[in-house]
Amino acid sequence: MYAPAHFREERLAVLHEAIGQARLATLVTMGGNGLDASHIPILLESDEGERGTLYGHLARGNPQWKQASSSVQALMIFMGPDAYVSPSWYAEKAKNGKVVPTWNYVTVHAHGELEFFEEKERLLSLVTRLTEKHEGKRAQPWAVSDAPIDYIEAHLKGIVGFRLPIARIEGKWKMSQNRNREDRQGVVAGLGEASGPLEEAVAKIMAREL
Protein backbone atom coordinates (compact mmCIF):
# COMPACT_ATOMS: atom_id res chain seq x y z
CA MET A 1 0.00 0.00 0.00
CA TYR A 2 1.31 3.44 -0.91
CA ALA A 3 1.38 5.43 2.33
CA PRO A 4 3.49 8.61 2.49
CA ALA A 5 4.97 9.25 5.93
CA HIS A 6 2.41 11.92 6.90
CA PHE A 7 -0.47 9.48 6.25
CA ARG A 8 1.13 6.38 7.78
CA GLU A 9 -0.26 4.87 10.99
CA GLU A 10 1.96 2.32 12.76
CA ARG A 11 0.55 2.13 16.32
CA LEU A 12 -0.68 -1.44 16.74
CA ALA A 13 -3.45 -0.50 19.21
CA VAL A 14 -4.84 2.07 16.76
CA LEU A 15 -4.68 -0.41 13.88
CA HIS A 16 -6.44 -3.06 15.95
CA GLU A 17 -9.16 -0.58 16.93
CA ALA A 18 -9.81 0.21 13.26
CA ILE A 19 -10.04 -3.52 12.46
CA GLY A 20 -12.54 -3.97 15.27
CA GLN A 21 -14.69 -1.12 13.97
CA ALA A 22 -14.68 -2.26 10.34
CA ARG A 23 -17.95 -3.83 9.24
CA LEU A 24 -16.54 -6.07 6.49
CA ALA A 25 -13.06 -7.07 5.40
CA THR A 26 -11.85 -8.02 1.95
CA LEU A 27 -9.80 -11.24 1.82
CA VAL A 28 -7.49 -11.33 -1.21
CA THR A 29 -5.53 -14.43 -2.28
CA MET A 30 -3.77 -15.71 -5.38
CA GLY A 31 -5.19 -18.95 -6.73
CA GLY A 32 -4.80 -21.10 -9.81
CA ASN A 33 -7.06 -18.79 -11.79
CA GLY A 34 -5.52 -15.54 -10.57
CA LEU A 35 -6.58 -13.21 -7.79
CA ASP A 36 -9.66 -14.00 -5.70
CA ALA A 37 -11.45 -11.74 -3.23
CA SER A 38 -14.25 -12.27 -0.72
CA HIS A 39 -16.01 -9.79 1.58
CA ILE A 40 -16.55 -11.18 5.06
CA PRO A 41 -16.90 -10.27 8.76
CA ILE A 42 -13.73 -10.89 10.76
CA LEU A 43 -12.87 -11.63 14.37
CA LEU A 44 -9.58 -10.24 15.70
CA GLU A 45 -7.76 -11.94 18.57
CA SER A 46 -5.43 -9.08 19.44
CA ASP A 47 -3.44 -11.02 22.06
CA GLU A 48 -2.78 -14.05 19.88
CA GLY A 49 0.65 -13.70 18.29
CA GLU A 50 2.95 -10.70 18.03
CA ARG A 51 0.55 -8.60 15.91
CA GLY A 52 -2.74 -10.40 16.52
CA THR A 53 -4.59 -13.12 14.61
CA LEU A 54 -7.63 -12.85 12.35
CA TYR A 55 -10.41 -15.43 12.10
CA GLY A 56 -13.27 -15.79 9.64
CA HIS A 57 -15.06 -18.26 7.42
CA LEU A 58 -15.98 -18.75 3.78
CA ALA A 59 -18.89 -20.59 2.22
CA ARG A 60 -17.85 -24.13 1.31
CA GLY A 61 -19.10 -23.43 -2.20
CA ASN A 62 -16.74 -20.45 -2.53
CA PRO A 63 -13.88 -21.59 -4.81
CA GLN A 64 -11.43 -19.21 -3.13
CA TRP A 65 -10.63 -21.60 -0.27
CA LYS A 66 -10.06 -24.49 -2.67
CA GLN A 67 -7.82 -22.55 -5.04
CA ALA A 68 -5.85 -20.87 -2.25
CA SER A 69 -4.18 -23.84 -0.57
CA SER A 70 -3.41 -23.69 3.14
CA SER A 71 -0.37 -21.58 4.08
CA VAL A 72 -0.91 -19.31 1.07
CA GLN A 73 0.01 -15.64 1.52
CA ALA A 74 -3.11 -13.54 1.95
CA LEU A 75 -4.03 -9.87 2.23
CA MET A 76 -6.90 -8.67 4.40
CA ILE A 77 -8.17 -5.14 3.71
CA PHE A 78 -10.22 -3.20 6.26
CA MET A 79 -11.85 0.10 5.33
CA GLY A 80 -12.74 2.72 7.89
CA PRO A 81 -14.71 5.94 7.34
CA ASP A 82 -14.13 7.84 4.10
CA ALA A 83 -15.37 11.09 2.57
CA TYR A 84 -15.00 13.25 -0.51
CA VAL A 85 -13.10 16.50 0.12
CA SER A 86 -14.21 19.49 -1.94
CA PRO A 87 -11.51 22.00 -2.92
CA SER A 88 -14.01 24.73 -2.10
CA TRP A 89 -13.43 24.00 1.60
CA TYR A 90 -9.77 25.03 1.48
CA ALA A 91 -8.85 28.55 2.58
CA GLU A 92 -6.15 28.32 -0.09
CA LYS A 93 -8.83 28.40 -2.81
CA ALA A 94 -9.60 32.06 -2.14
CA LYS A 95 -5.91 32.96 -2.17
CA ASN A 96 -4.68 31.45 -5.42
CA GLY A 97 -7.19 28.86 -6.68
CA LYS A 98 -4.49 26.17 -6.72
CA VAL A 99 -6.59 23.38 -5.21
CA VAL A 100 -8.08 20.11 -6.43
CA PRO A 101 -10.56 17.56 -4.99
CA THR A 102 -9.34 14.58 -2.98
CA TRP A 103 -10.65 11.80 -0.76
CA ASN A 104 -9.94 11.25 2.93
CA TYR A 105 -10.11 7.74 4.36
CA VAL A 106 -8.87 5.17 6.86
CA THR A 107 -7.64 1.74 5.78
CA VAL A 108 -5.68 -1.14 7.29
CA HIS A 109 -3.89 -3.90 5.37
CA ALA A 110 -2.99 -7.12 7.21
CA HIS A 111 -0.74 -9.75 5.61
CA GLY A 112 -0.06 -13.33 6.64
CA GLU A 113 -0.27 -17.04 5.83
CA LEU A 114 -3.81 -18.34 5.56
CA GLU A 115 -4.68 -21.55 7.42
CA PHE A 116 -8.03 -23.27 6.72
CA PHE A 117 -9.86 -25.54 9.17
CA GLU A 118 -13.03 -27.62 9.03
CA GLU A 119 -13.34 -29.12 12.52
CA LYS A 120 -16.91 -28.75 13.83
CA GLU A 121 -15.84 -27.62 17.30
CA ARG A 122 -13.58 -24.86 15.96
CA LEU A 123 -16.23 -23.67 13.52
CA LEU A 124 -18.88 -23.57 16.25
CA SER A 125 -16.55 -21.57 18.50
CA LEU A 126 -15.83 -19.12 15.67
CA VAL A 127 -19.44 -18.45 14.68
CA THR A 128 -20.40 -18.18 18.36
CA ARG A 129 -17.73 -15.53 19.01
CA LEU A 130 -18.61 -13.63 15.82
CA THR A 131 -22.27 -13.64 16.81
CA GLU A 132 -21.49 -12.41 20.32
CA LYS A 133 -19.42 -9.57 18.86
CA HIS A 134 -22.23 -8.27 16.66
CA GLU A 135 -25.21 -9.12 18.89
CA GLY A 136 -23.67 -8.05 22.19
CA LYS A 137 -25.00 -4.48 22.19
CA ARG A 138 -28.55 -5.39 21.23
CA ALA A 139 -31.27 -5.17 23.88
CA GLN A 140 -32.27 -8.78 23.18
CA PRO A 141 -29.23 -10.40 21.57
CA TRP A 142 -29.62 -13.54 19.51
CA ALA A 143 -27.29 -16.42 20.41
CA VAL A 144 -26.19 -19.41 18.37
CA SER A 145 -27.60 -21.59 21.14
CA ASP A 146 -31.08 -20.16 20.43
CA ALA A 147 -31.28 -22.32 17.30
CA PRO A 148 -31.66 -26.13 17.38
CA ILE A 149 -28.26 -27.81 17.56
CA ASP A 150 -28.92 -30.04 14.53
CA TYR A 151 -29.85 -26.95 12.51
CA ILE A 152 -26.59 -25.22 13.48
CA GLU A 153 -24.54 -28.34 12.77
CA ALA A 154 -26.07 -28.56 9.30
CA HIS A 155 -25.04 -24.96 8.60
CA LEU A 156 -21.52 -25.57 9.92
CA LYS A 157 -21.09 -28.17 7.18
CA GLY A 158 -21.58 -25.37 4.66
CA ILE A 159 -18.61 -23.25 5.78
CA VAL A 160 -14.83 -23.48 6.04
CA GLY A 161 -12.98 -21.52 8.71
CA PHE A 162 -9.65 -19.77 8.41
CA ARG A 163 -6.97 -18.39 10.68
CA LEU A 164 -4.56 -15.64 9.62
CA PRO A 165 -1.73 -14.78 12.05
CA ILE A 166 -0.75 -11.20 11.14
CA ALA A 167 2.85 -11.16 9.88
CA ARG A 168 2.76 -7.57 8.62
CA ILE A 169 0.25 -4.77 9.16
CA GLU A 170 -0.01 -1.33 7.54
CA GLY A 171 -2.32 1.58 8.23
CA LYS A 172 -3.14 4.69 6.24
CA TRP A 173 -5.01 7.61 7.80
CA LYS A 174 -5.36 10.08 4.92
CA MET A 175 -6.79 13.08 6.77
CA SER A 176 -5.41 16.14 4.96
CA GLN A 177 -2.18 16.07 6.99
CA ASN A 178 -0.41 17.48 3.92
CA ARG A 179 -2.52 20.68 4.11
CA ASN A 180 -1.96 23.66 6.40
CA ARG A 181 -4.02 24.07 9.57
CA GLU A 182 -6.38 26.62 8.00
CA ASP A 183 -7.19 24.27 5.13
CA ARG A 184 -7.75 21.36 7.53
CA GLN A 185 -10.13 23.48 9.60
CA GLY A 186 -12.03 24.29 6.43
CA VAL A 187 -12.36 20.59 5.59
CA VAL A 188 -13.66 19.79 9.08
CA ALA A 189 -16.26 22.55 8.75
CA GLY A 190 -17.24 21.42 5.25
CA LEU A 191 -17.63 17.81 6.31
CA GLY A 192 -19.77 18.95 9.22
CA GLU A 193 -22.13 20.73 6.84
CA ALA A 194 -22.34 17.61 4.67
CA SER A 195 -23.88 15.90 7.75
CA GLY A 196 -23.62 12.28 6.52
CA PRO A 197 -22.45 9.63 9.03
CA LEU A 198 -19.22 8.92 7.13
CA GLU A 199 -18.45 12.62 6.72
CA GLU A 200 -19.09 13.11 10.43
CA ALA A 201 -16.75 10.24 11.31
CA VAL A 202 -13.95 11.65 9.13
CA ALA A 203 -14.47 15.14 10.60
CA LYS A 204 -14.12 13.75 14.14
CA ILE A 205 -10.85 12.02 13.28
CA MET A 206 -9.51 15.20 11.68
CA ALA A 207 -10.64 17.41 14.56
CA ARG A 208 -8.62 15.35 17.04
CA GLU A 209 -5.43 16.25 15.16
CA LEU A 210 -6.06 20.02 14.86
Side-chain angles (χ1 to χ4, degrees), residues 47-130:
D47 296 329
E48 185 178 330
E50 182 180 355
R51 300 173 184 85
T53 299
L54 301 169
Y55 286 89
H57 60 81
L58 297 170
R60 186 170 291 276
N62 185 336
Q64 184 173 10
W65 77 273
K66 299 176 182 178
Q67 295 176 10
S69 60
S70 194
S71 298
V72 70
Q73 287 291 322
L75 166 64
M76 194 78 71
I77 302 173
F78 300 87
M79 287 300 300
D82 66 275
Y84 171 75
V85 176
S86 170
S88 65
W89 296 337
Y90 294 139
E92 200 70 16
K93 176 182 179 295
K95 298 176 182 178
N96 54 39
K98 296 180 179 180
V99 292
V100 293
T102 191
W103 210 279
N104 280 359
Y105 59 90
V106 167
T107 187
V108 177
H109 289 192
H111 306 254
E113 288 190 359
L114 202 58
E115 306 167 6
F116 294 104
F117 59 87
E118 303 179 58
E119 297 90 343
K120 181 178 70 175
E121 293 76 14
R122 292 183 71 186
L123 291 172
L124 179 59
S125 173
L126 172 59
V127 298
T128 298
R129 287 180 292 157
L130 274 170

Side-chain angles (χ1 to χ4, degrees), residues 119-174:
E119 297 90 343
K120 181 178 70 175
E121 293 76 14
R122 292 183 71 186
L123 291 172
L124 179 59
S125 173
L126 172 59
V127 298
T128 298
R129 287 180 292 157
L130 274 170
T131 300
E132 290 172 348
K133 172 185 175 182
H134 296 288
E135 289 278 343
K137 294 182 180 180
R138 296 173 59 85
Q140 295 181 316
W142 181 86
V144 172
S145 58
D146 289 347
I149 185 62
D150 57 339
Y151 179 81
I152 294 298
E153 289 182 350
H155 277 268
L156 292 178
K157 294 177 181 178
I159 63 174
V160 175
F162 65 80
R163 175 178 181 268
L164 193 155
I166 301 174
R168 179 163 59 95
I169 187 167
E170 308 168 286
K172 186 174 182 179
W173 266 241
K174 185 177 178 297

Side-chain angles (χ1 to χ4, degrees), residues 31-42:
N33 296 323
L35 288 172
D36 287 311
S38 294
H39 310 285
I40 45 183
I42 292 295

